[in-house]
Amino acid sequence: MRLYKIEVFKLFYRKFFMICLLSVLGILLLYFYFVNVGDERTTVNGNLYTGYKAVQVDREITKEFSGVLTDDIAEQIVEKYGFPSKVEEYYGYFRDQNYLNGFITKYLGNGYFRDWNDYQVSTSLYTISQTDLGRVVEVSGNEITLDYTKGWTVFFDTLQLGMILGSVLILVGVSPVFSEEYQNKMAALLFTSEEGKSKDIIAKIAASFTMTTIIYIVIVSCVFVCIGSVYGFTGKDCIIGTVLGNALNPANPATMKTVSFFAALTLILDYLALLSLCAITVCVSAHFKSLFHAVSVSCMIWLAPLLIRIMGGGAGFILMAGTPLFMIMSGVLLDSFNFLIIPIIIAMCILILCTINGWHIYRIEDKGEENQIG
């Protein structure tokens, strides 16, 4: 336990890592408040609201109609708020919509919006049974729930950015675990003690996974606090296909899952992705005696699946869906849901094999250093 605490302390109390951690949290907060909240806009009864006020107004007007969505409810919303129709150049939605009439127009309106110069203003509504929402009801056997879900949309967006930044933190924070000992000529000293031979490797690996877990908890907590303080988490029983952009697809079971189910699955897979990245970084750190090389190679391995995905086509996607870079992406989870077991197995193999290999390589160096000292 003493060695473990020392290793955790060594990993965390580096000035560069602490600066990176604070920078990551700062970037998340800036992105959330200036990109997500700052871009909010809603129009109610001819009055335009923006930013935080827009969110609160949308949340308030949605309460009246929350519950099972019916054709009568849709008609009442259109009667009260009308169809949105204002278009501005280079903006990808009707600029005079609010959350309610925007939702109804998108899924039930007879118009469309493909681009600012390719749209048709809705003049009437289809019945639910005539639309994708109706087909979802037929396939899933569940009614469509209407509620304010913008918080979940922002949640998945911000969480994905947080996981990318968290991955960078792991690459920076875990890479020194073995390589820095070599670089600073400390490995030989560690190997001269009985504790160094038998326990230090396990302590270093455990400290690395502890750092990864704490990074994950800090980022997820930050995201939850940000979303909860502005948007709230209503709409957990709505279907995820209506939350993630244009993802609704009755042929894809993933898009018909509840938001709460998809959020829980995303959090689990994000954690698995960060753990597998930690294992990769530990393994690379054990192979290189220079911190610069360890960080560089770990970063290249982390980003390599992107290139393989581009060149590999369909087969490449199936394989790359289980890598740390792709597993944190909500869109990839939707697309790979039908064969999700394959990415999970790939991630677990990466986690186990890389951890074992890192442990094995450092033990080899242990014996080599011991022989040299002897």
Side-chain angles (χ1 to χ4, degrees):
M1 182 59 70
R2 184 180 66 85
L3 277 177
Y4 167 73
K5 291 180 180 179
I6 292 174
E7 295 299 336
V8 171
F9 181 86
K10 285 163 60 178
L11 288 179
F12 272 99
Y13 288 90
R14 289 181 171 87
K15 289 184 179 180
F16 183 70
F17 173 77
M18 296 306 297
I19 291 172
C20 289
L21 177 59
L22 294 175
S23 298
V24 163
L25 295 178
I27 292 171
L28 268 182
L29 292 174
L30 290 173
Y31 179 82
F32 173 72
Y33 283 105
F34 286 100
V35 176
N36 287 318
V37 180
D39 193 47
E40 293 292 344
R41 175 188 176 107
T42 191
T43 302
V44 178
N45 298 326
N47 298 315
L48 174 65
Y49 303 92
T50 60
Y52 177 80
K53 183 63 176 178
V55 175
Q56 302 313 306
V57 170
D58 273 340
R59 292 178 67 181
E60 187 62 31
I61 66 173
T62 305
K63 290 179 182 179
E64 179 184 352
F65 300 98
S66 294
V68 176
L69 178 63
T70 63
D71 292 326
D72 288 339
I73 293 294
E75 291 286 354
Q76 291 175 33
I77 291 173
V78 171
E79 182 179 348
K80 185 170 185 177
Y81 298 110
F83 289 109
S85 59
K86 183 179 179 181
V87 175
E88 293 182 10
E89 191 172 1
Y90 302 121
Y91 284 92
Y93 56 92
F94 290 111
R95 298 291 281 170
D96 59 343
Q97 70 181 27
N98 56 50
Y99 179 79
L100 286 174
N101 65 5
F103 181 92
I104 296 301
T105 300
K106 179 177 181 179
Y107 291 104
L108 300 178
N110 66 342
Y112 60 86
F113 192 109
R114 300 190 183 102
D115 200 354
W116 63 270
N117 58 1
D118 183 13
Y119 67 93
Q120 177 179 306
V121 176
S122 293
T123 56
S124 63
L125 296 176
Y126 295 113
T127 62
I128 292 176
S129 62
Q130 294 176 300
T131 66
D132 281 343
L133 293 180
R135 286 185 278 278
V136 167
V137 173
E138 292 178 6
V139 173
S140 67
N142 299 319
E143 299 291 342
I144 300 298
T145 301
L146 175 63
D147 209 337
Y148 184 77
T149 59
K150 190 61 181 292
W152 289 107
T153 303
V154 177
F155 170 81
F156 289 112
D157 178 56
T158 309
L159 180 64
Q160 181 171 299
L161 174 62
M163 291 299 107
I164 292 173
L165 296 175
S167 297
V168 175
L169 275 179
I170 292 171
L171 293 169
V172 171
V174 175
S175 288
V177 66
F178 291 134
S179 60
E180 196 171 61
E181 302 290 3
Y182 296 134
Q183 182 173 291
N184 295 336
K185 309 300 181 182
M186 292 297 294
L189 294 177
L190 290 172
F191 296 147
T192 60
S193 68
E194 187 59 33
E195 278 191 330
K197 293 178 182 178
S198 60
K199 299 180 180 179
D200 191 57
I201 300 175
I202 295 176
K204 286 178 179 295
I205 293 175
S208 299
F209 284 109
T210 299
M211 167 176 273
T212 298
T213 300
I214 292 176
I215 289 173
Y216 172 81
I217 292 173
V218 169
I219 291 176
V220 170
S221 299
C222 179
V223 172
F224 268 104
V225 170
C226 288
I227 305 301
S229 64
V230 177
Y231 292 92
F233 289 102
T234 56
K236 61 182 177 61
D237 295 325
C238 296
I239 58 175
I240 193 65
T242 61
V243 173
L244 295 179
N246 298 314
L248 184 62
N249 179 6
N252 184 352
T255 67
M256 294 180 281
K257 296 296 183 182
T258 63
V259 171
S260 56
F261 172 86
F262 194 83
L265 182 60
T266 298
L267 290 170
I268 292 171
L269 295 182
D270 283 351
Y271 186 46
L272 177 58
L274 294 191
L275 289 178
S276 62
L277 179 61
C278 175
I280 290 172
T281 309
V282 166
C283 181
V284 172
S285 181
H287 280 80
F288 289 88
K289 298 187 178 182
S290 163
L291 178 56
F292 173 79
H293 290 135
V295 174
S296 300
V297 173
S298 295
C299 289
M300 286 188 287
I301 293 175
W302 178 52
L303 294 173
L306 183 60
L307 179 60
I308 298 174
R309 170 69 182 95
I310 294 172
M311 299 175 61
F317 173 76
I318 295 175
L319 295 176
M320 295 307 105
T323 61
L325 180 62
F326 282 96
M327 186 167 272
I328 61 175
M329 299 181 183
S330 300
V332 172
L333 175 55
L334 281 175
D335 292 338
S336 62
F337 186 81
N338 290 333
F339 51 88
L340 188 59
I341 187 64
I342 297 177
I344 291 176
I345 291 174
I346 291 173
M348 291 297 296
C349 288
I350 292 173
L351 172 60
I352 295 171
L353 295 178
C354 287
T355 302
I356 292 174
N357 184 259
W359 173 82
H360 176 68
I361 292 298
Y362 201 64
R363 280 192 63 85
I364 293 175
E365 292 296 335
D366 180 336
K367 293 178 181 179
E369 294 287 345
E370 184 180 5
N371 292 335
Q372 290 180 13
I373 294 170

